[in-house]
Amino acid sequence: MVLLEELVEEVLLRLPPAEPASLVRAALVCKPWCRLISGRRFRHRFGELHRSPPVLGYFCNKFFFTDSVTCFVPASPAFPPRADQVLCHALDARHGRVLLRRKPQSPRLTVWDPVAGDRWELPPLSDAWNKRRWNAAVLCAASAASAGACDHLDCREKPFLVVCVGSGRRKIYLCIYSSETGSWTEPTFAAWTPGNENGVFDMAPALVGNSLYFMVDVAFGMLRYDLVTRETSMIDSLPVQPMKLVDGGIAVAIEDYCRLSLWSMEMSPNGDIKWAQLRVIDLNKVLPAGVLLEDACYVAYARGVGILAGTIGRLLNIDLESDKVKTLYKGGFFHGIIPYTSFYIPVLGSVAAVEEPRPDASVA
């Protein structure tokens, strides 16, 4: 019987992570399978075997009159329940967590794990924080340690950080929230900006190595924050104004409303950044008839999926291998697209608990 259970586990571990519905169906076959799949051991081994979490869906920020809603567009039949978030705006998603802004004009933030259903309401920032333009990122706290401190395959139960940057009169400030302390640090000076109107741009930040990159609305620049050394620096070497900067160092840009280009960030040994163009797509040839190019207001990039383009009234997926375009969603006006990647393994606790032995039970 022990050998049989081990064989069953080896088979279930090889179910495709991009089709989480198969794990849900397997968990409903019988109570022993449910207990096995719901266990922490299976979740950890599943991540170790497959390594790259799949894209479960996309959080699309939409406006309805005076209210905002973050609409979840699933990428598979099985997806986290109650994923739509009314009166919220998704800022970032990383390491299984989503960062939500609860009020449009102030940094009142919520960190949410859609798979586990856990939520953390962050306390308000210091009274010294009074920035007109700001942005924030969420990530596993181990990213601020040495390289390789966490493989991020199953770190949702570990501490997390939220890094918030904001700009006022010619200055950019930074502060950090730690789930371990439950509080924010005091705002610290990060960089100068050349004009009063220039500052932090509301584009989802990118994590490259142990550094976070925030877009700054001046001369195609970026603010770099090294999570290990806690040093900040300004970078103004972008070849074009990107519409999306992706973890790992990929920039996506639309030029002249007709060319979509992908660029890769390359770091030299002395720390200088260079950009190499990976791909150029003629949007006139791939977008459906009737879609106005100037309506491609927001784009995103998801590895293994391709380019997501949010136009007025629809969400499009551009496959980079075939250049084919598919409509994923219709309705509403998009104001940002955040891909959500995570392993989705069902935890049916009430069923699995039936099979767990009682503390006073004997084991034959």
Side-chain angles (χ1 to χ4, degrees), residues 6-256:
E6 291 178 351
L7 290 175
V8 169
E9 182 179 17
E10 292 300 323
V11 173
L12 295 178
L13 284 171
R14 284 155 177 80
L15 292 176
E19 301 175 12
S22 59
L23 278 174
V24 176
R25 289 192 292 267
L28 297 176
V29 169
C30 60
K31 292 175 182 178
W33 284 25
C34 177
R35 185 185 72 249
L36 190 154
I37 293 174
S38 299
R40 182 174 298 178
R41 164 188 161 89
F42 182 87
R43 186 169 67 244
H44 185 74
R45 291 196 64 199
F46 192 82
E48 282 187 329
L49 177 65
H50 297 284
R51 305 302 297 180
S52 298
V55 177
L56 295 183
Y58 319 98
F59 286 97
C60 302
N61 296 314
K62 298 165 57 178
F63 286 109
F64 293 100
F65 301 103
T66 59
D67 293 337
S68 62
V69 59
T70 294
C71 175
F72 184 76
V73 178
S76 69
F79 56 91
R82 299 180 295 278
D84 291 352
Q85 299 294 298
V86 180
L87 298 178
C88 286
H89 186 101
L91 295 175
D92 192 28
R94 190 175 292 103
H95 303 154
R97 304 175 182 91
V98 181
L99 183 62
L100 299 172
R101 181 178 66 189
R102 289 185 286 133
K103 291 185 178 181
Q105 301 301 326
S106 64
R108 296 299 303 272
L109 302 173
T110 297
V111 174
W112 173 44
D113 181 344
V115 172
D118 297 327
R119 302 178 76 96
W120 297 268
E121 304 292 338
L122 273 58
L125 282 88
S126 165
D127 293 338
W129 185 271
N130 184 20
K131 309 296 173 254
R132 293 179 57 249
R133 303 178 66 177
W134 62 275
N135 201 358
V138 62
L139 66 161
C140 171
S143 301
S146 58
C150 182
D151 57 16
H152 305 307
L153 297 178
D154 184 26
C155 59
R156 56 174 26 101
E157 296 179 2
K158 296 181 180 179
F160 64 85
L161 300 176
V162 174
V163 180
C164 189
V165 297
S167 54
R169 287 185 171 272
R170 302 187 63 185
K171 294 181 181 180
I172 297 178
Y173 288 87
L174 179 146
C175 60
I176 300 173
Y177 173 85
S178 168
S179 64
E180 293 182 287
T181 63
S183 61
W184 292 93
T185 62
E186 288 297 317
T188 58
F189 172 78
W192 292 93
T193 60
N196 291 339
E197 299 303 321
N198 298 313
V200 179
F201 194 57
D202 63 348
M203 180 188 300
L207 178 65
V208 184
N210 288 97
S211 295
L212 275 172
Y213 291 83
F214 295 87
M215 292 304 304
V216 178
D217 190 16
V218 53
F220 309 158
M222 298 184 296
L223 173 71
R224 176 190 177 190
Y225 175 62
D226 191 308
L227 292 158
V228 177
T229 65
R230 301 184 182 182
E231 296 176 345
T232 57
S233 58
M234 290 290 293
I235 299 172
D236 57 359
S237 59
L238 275 75
V240 292
Q241 183 174 9
M243 299 189 72
K244 176 68 178 175
L245 192 65
V246 187
D247 285 4
I250 300 292
V252 184
I254 292 182
E255 306 171 50
D256 301 325

Side-chain angles (χ1 to χ4, degrees), residues 311-362:
T311 69
I312 295 179
R314 69 176 76 190
L315 176 66
L316 304 172
N317 172 217
I318 304 175
D319 189 300
L320 294 177
E321 294 185 2
S322 64
D323 286 353
K324 291 184 179 180
V325 179
K326 180 171 66 175
T327 299
L328 301 178
Y329 183 83
K330 288 185 178 181
F333 176 75
F334 293 97
H335 189 72
I337 307 166
I338 308 292
Y340 177 69
T341 61
S342 179
F343 290 113
Y344 185 27
I345 302 175
V347 180
L348 306 177
S350 59
V351 178
V354 176
E355 293 295 311
E356 295 289 345
R358 298 188 309 273
D360 57 344
S362 61

